Amino acid sequence: MKPNIPIYIIMSLLAFMLSSCKDECEWISIRSYHFIDCYEEWSSFDLRYNNANEIFSIRFKTKQKYYSAEFQGLFNPTQTVEDLNKFNELAAKNNDVGYNWEDIYIYHSTVRTAIYPKVTDILITSDRDYDESHPAGTPLNDIFMEYYHSFTQFLGNVDHSDIFPNHYYLGETRKPCNEIEKDELSVISPSTFAIYPKHSPTAWTGKHKITVTLTDENGNTHSQTAETDLSDFKRFE
């Protein structure tokens, strides 16, 4: 039988954990005057097929975060004046005004975030024929659904009386890519962005290389490709 761990060692470890957690485990009440309190600047993205959820997941590669004055103390206390000014510039650009709400947060908890620069367009193609109407290289936007959180509808001169900003599911959207309005992708969350087909291919049932191309507000295009066998999707059964 293994010897028991001395009680004084257990107590010492517990005391150390509690002391190190003192600041990071303390809940703090923060009042916000924006709908979005953080912007993440991106320059590229990863495209991966998620077997568990049967989706193509788009993950933005971000290089900088800009927090509001209210949130910088908790999430980035060393944020520069230039970065705070950048947040204020983006908030003004998106007309994020008129909010006054409060919630409690802890270090590393979630704060509503949007990407910068804005996405203005999405294009989906395959290297193989999908069906008779979609030969290789032609847009598949009418075949693929997109799942994302869009915040555009909560910004600008809108009635805030029935908007509860502390509900973090706000803006959740699923729709065919060809039905997405241009402004819907202009202010979106970086953590929820995925696509999946509405039906399996009929022209080529082997592996497809799916390419996603995003265009940003500066006119730059960003493309990534992921390969999978679309005929294996269980959602088509």
Side-chain angles (χ1 to χ4, degrees), residues 64-68 71-80 83 107:
Q64 184 69 34
K65 294 183 179 182
Y66 307 101
Y67 288 98
S68 66
F71 280 79
Q72 67 178 2
L74 179 61
F75 291 95
N76 187 8
T78 60
Q79 176 170 259
T80 65
D83 286 351
Y107 187 67

Side-chain angles (χ1 to χ4, degrees), residues 48-117:
R48 299 179 181 178
Y49 174 61
N50 186 316
N51 287 285
N53 298 321
E54 296 185 322
I55 60 173
F56 290 91
S57 178
I58 297 170
R59 296 295 181 186
F60 292 95
K61 293 182 179 179
T62 58
K63 57 183 180 180
Q64 184 69 34
K65 294 183 179 182
Y66 307 101
Y67 288 98
S68 66
E70 296 77 36
F71 280 79
Q72 67 178 2
L74 179 61
F75 291 95
N76 187 8
T78 60
Q79 176 170 259
T80 65
V81 173
E82 290 76 16
D83 286 351
L84 175 58
N85 290 340
K86 185 65 178 180
F87 170 87
N88 291 331
E89 173 191 326
L90 293 171
K93 183 178 181 179
N94 290 326
N95 201 11
D96 188 358
V97 296
Y99 283 95
N100 186 344
W101 60 287
E102 190 173 5
D103 206 351
I104 57 174
Y105 300 85
I106 196 172
Y107 187 67
H108 287 321
S109 60
T110 301
V111 55
R112 183 174 288 109
T113 302
I115 60 169
Y116 155 78

Side-chain angles (χ1 to χ4, degrees), residues 9-22:
I9 294 181
I10 297 176
M11 296 302 294
S12 298
L13 289 173
L14 181 60
F16 173 77
M17 292 172 62
L18 290 175
S19 63
S20 61
C21 182
K22 182 178 179 181

